[in-house]
Amino acid sequence: QVQLVQSGAEVKRPGASVKVSCKASGYTFASYAIHWVRQAPGQSLEWMGWIIPGNGDTKYSQKFQGRVTITRDTSASTAHLDLSSLRSEDTAVYYCARSYSTSSEFDYWGQGSLVTVSS
Amino acid sequence: EIVLTQSPGTLSLSPGERATLSCRASQSVSSSYLAWYQQKPGQAPRLLIYGASSRATGVPDRFSGSGSGTDFTLTISRLEPEDFAVYYCQQYGSSPPLTFGGGTKVEIK
């Protein structure tokens, strides 16, 4: 069965960086895009960017350009989200999600990783 | 960027009643690339509807989606206890960013 399993919760200081991982199983990792979406407490969902694991192509929301990097390790079927220069407003649950193409619905989601930014 | 506005913000209904949720886009959503997700507290979103009107695998037929262009609707024909949750619409057909609506909470009256 398809699963996306994310890394655990993180607590970071303002100005630091965080790396969140998403390990895929149950399907061919290279054949589906992986998106990162975040949700601040009590708020809606916010798309951050995607990666095509097959070729490493990425696209980021302009809001996060310069602070976000999405990478993948095809040998480990894992995608990573790096977010730098953290501020308190980055406190959120970060989700990875799968789609058949970059213009497809998100059919499977990871369980979420809470990132707390606090001094 | 396409802005999605969902209404109402909260819908208070009883089990067995019909729920009608609206999602309005600031510009036309190409090829009906519009999805609906359900989210329960502490859980990840779950895909319900894609392509504006196609049910995802395993989704009960009491859930239906309709609409095109800028106006979309999610209907739950008869609310079951497990349907009380927050619902989000999403457009995924335009150039990035992909965007989500602000959500509609369906709560027990």
Side-chain angles (χ1 to χ4, degrees), chain A residues 36-38 46-49 59-61 64 68 81 83 94:
Chain A
W36 287 93
V37 175
R38 77 177 187 180
E46 183 173 34
W47 176 80
M48 301 179 70
K59 180 73 88 172
Y60 304 124
S61 168
F64 301 101
V68 67
L81 170 75
L83 188 62
Y94 289 76

Side-chain angles (χ1 to χ4, degrees), chain A residues 53-84:
Chain A
N55 60 17
D57 280 357
T58 55
K59 180 73 88 172
Y60 304 124
S61 168
Q62 204 159 11
K63 175 176 178 176
F64 301 101
Q65 204 84 32
R67 285 209 301 144
V68 67
T69 305
I70 300 174
T71 58
R72 93 293 192 210
D73 178 352
T74 53
S75 66
S77 298
T78 300
H80 304 280
L81 170 75
D82 275 278
L83 188 62
S84 62

